[in-house]
């Protein structure tokens, strides 16, 4: 799965908040030993006792009073009618050129509520409500329907896979001033991380259980959760075997071992004659086609 790494807020003026002290109590989503006991102020209660109140986060206008246009971030990210195809935003980055019909839907969303005068939790709830699986007939790829040829498959076509859901969630979050990132939770699933009042939480818009389900919406440590899958993969035997094979190839290319020795390490059960027939050309050079 191709990892999506675009940060939700690209504007450097939207500096990240300092992590609160309680962030150290959280690990990855696999360590989510607790539940939401109060979703109004985001209080997470641990199963072994004790709780942490994350809070709702600041009202956007209190932090950035100079931004008053609800389409501010949308205009920074998307080409509007009359702009050149290769238009850049204020940071010199290229704007997205979406399919016809996409921009009006995005404009409708950012103007559907007063997000500029809303706290971070309200904005998160509105983004989730607008996009999650099951909302307005939205489905995932298991429905068997064909995916539409549009820029926002979930928002416009009401169907998508986990990468579509998480990628579109991240973009909608960015348009209302939230910091979010889509990432790979495993080899076969993508979700989002969203920062609320300085604390990162996981959000999975493809799940139908709702926002506060205690399974996929969990407070986490950003580095631990974001890097969890990559670290798991690198510690696997498969990854170690692949790295060993790469090292043997480097040794063969440098002349430290012969190509016969390289293939003998890969295929211990093959004889030298079999290796020469399958992997080597008539003049003794490696045949990359394996003929």
């Amino acid at each position: 799965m191709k990892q999506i790494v675009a940060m939700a807020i690209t504007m450097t003026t939207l500096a990240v908040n300092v992590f609160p002290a309680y962030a150290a109590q959280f690990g990855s989503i696999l360590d989510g030993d607790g539940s939401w006991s109060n979703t109004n102020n985001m209080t997470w209660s641990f199963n072994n006792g004790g709780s942490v109140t994350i809070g709702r986060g600041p009202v956007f206008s209190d932090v950035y009073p100079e931004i008053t246009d609800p389409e501010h971030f949308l205009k920074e990210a998307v080409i509007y009618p009359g702009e050149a195809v290769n238009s850049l935003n204020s940071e010199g980055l290229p704007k997205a050129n979406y399919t016809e019909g996409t921009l009006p839907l995005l404009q409708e969303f950012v103007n559907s509520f007063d997000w500029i005068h809303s706290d971070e939790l309200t904005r998160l709830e509105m983004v989730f409500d607008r996009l999650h699986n099951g909302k307005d007939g939205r489905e995932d790829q298991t429905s068997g329907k064909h995916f539409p040829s549009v820029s926002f498959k979930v928002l416009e076509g009401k169907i998508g896979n986990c990468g579509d859901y998480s990628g579109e969630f991240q973009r909608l979050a960015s348009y209302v001033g939230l910091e979010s990132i889509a990432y790979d939770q495993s080899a076969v699933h993508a979700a989002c991380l969203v920062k609320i009042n300085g604390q990162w939480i996981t959000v999975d818009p493809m799940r139908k259980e709702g926002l506060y389900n205690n399974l996929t919406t969990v407070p986490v440590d950003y580095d631990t959760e974001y890097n969890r899958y990559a670290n798991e993969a690198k510690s696997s035997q498969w990854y170690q075997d692949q790295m060993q094979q790469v090292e043997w190839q480097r040794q063969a290319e440098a002349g430290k071992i012969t190509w016969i020795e390289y293939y003998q390490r890969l295929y211990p059960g093959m004889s030298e004659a079999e290796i020469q027939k399958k992997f080597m050309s008539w003049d003794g050079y490696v045949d990359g086609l394996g003929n």
Side-chain angles (χ1 to χ4, degrees):
M1 181 184 300
K2 184 178 180 181
Q3 188 169 11
I4 304 172
V5 296
M7 290 300 293
I9 297 181
T10 59
M11 295 292 290
T12 55
T13 54
L14 293 185
V16 295
N17 295 326
V18 176
F19 269 39
Y22 54 73
Q25 300 183 33
F26 302 118
S28 76
I29 191 173
L30 303 180
D31 304 318
D33 186 22
S35 60
W36 299 106
S37 55
N38 186 332
T39 57
N40 185 57
N41 63 4
M42 296 202 76
T43 296
W44 179 264
S45 295
F46 297 96
N47 292 336
N48 60 357
S51 63
V52 168
T53 297
I54 297 171
R56 302 186 62 89
V59 172
F60 183 84
S61 60
D62 290 345
V63 183
Y64 308 103
E66 70 278 9
I67 298 177
T68 58
D69 182 3
E71 297 184 28
H72 174 82
F73 292 116
L74 189 59
K75 291 176 179 177
E76 280 287 302
V78 181
I79 293 176
Y80 270 57
E83 291 185 301
V85 174
N86 57 350
S87 294
L88 305 178
N89 63 16
S90 61
E91 292 190 329
L93 300 174
K95 294 185 178 183
N97 187 18
Y98 292 141
T99 51
E100 184 178 0
T102 301
L103 180 58
L105 281 177
L106 299 178
Q107 290 174 306
E108 182 275 326
F109 170 69
V110 298
N111 287 284
S112 65
F113 70 107
D114 186 10
W115 68 264
I116 288 181
H117 297 97
S118 299
D119 56 45
E120 290 176 331
L121 184 56
T122 297
R123 285 176 270 157
L124 168 61
E125 292 172 340
M126 295 299 290
V127 173
F128 188 88
D129 182 68
R130 185 69 176 86
L131 198 69
H132 72 86
N133 194 0
K135 174 71 174 182
D136 297 330
R138 290 186 172 82
E139 303 173 281
D140 55 52
Q141 76 273 24
T142 59
S143 66
K145 294 182 179 179
H146 293 293
F147 283 23
S149 298
V150 291
S151 299
F152 281 66
K153 293 181 176 62
V154 178
L155 186 65
E156 299 178 75
K158 298 185 178 182
I159 187 172
N161 56 34
C162 58
D164 299 317
Y165 271 94
S166 58
E168 293 182 31
F169 186 95
Q170 178 266 322
R171 281 180 280 179
L172 288 189
S174 74
Y175 301 151
V176 294
L178 287 174
E179 187 173 358
S180 174
I181 187 171
Y183 75 112
D184 287 340
Q185 277 192 341
S186 70
V188 295
H189 191 65
C192 285
L193 287 162
V194 184
K195 182 181 278 190
I196 300 296
N197 203 27
Q199 172 61 51
W200 289 95
I201 63 173
T202 58
V203 176
D204 190 345
M206 201 179 81
R207 296 292 293 265
K208 295 181 178 180
E209 292 86 349
L211 179 59
Y212 302 104
N213 59 64
N214 305 323
L215 296 175
T216 59
T217 304
V218 176
V220 295
D221 174 71
Y222 177 86
D223 289 332
T224 302
E225 174 60 20
Y226 181 78
N227 296 308
R228 175 177 54 80
Y229 167 61
N231 290 335
E232 289 173 354
K234 289 180 180 179
S235 63
S236 68
Q237 187 60 51
W238 175 87
Y239 182 85
Q240 299 301 321
D241 292 343
Q242 294 300 307
M243 292 300 99
Q244 180 64 79
Q245 182 176 333
V246 169
E247 177 57 27
W248 288 338
Q249 181 176 338
R250 288 173 179 167
Q251 291 178 9
E253 291 172 344
K256 295 181 179 180
I257 62 174
T258 67
W259 283 105
I260 291 291
E261 291 174 319
Y262 168 76
Y263 283 112
Q264 285 177 331
R265 294 179 182 184
L266 291 183
Y267 308 102
M270 293 182 69
S271 67
E272 183 173 333
E274 290 174 324
I275 290 174
Q276 287 179 328
K277 182 178 180 180
K278 185 173 180 62
F279 299 109
M280 313 289 284
S281 62
W282 66 272
D283 57 0
Y285 288 97
V286 176
D287 184 353
L289 298 178
N291 295 325

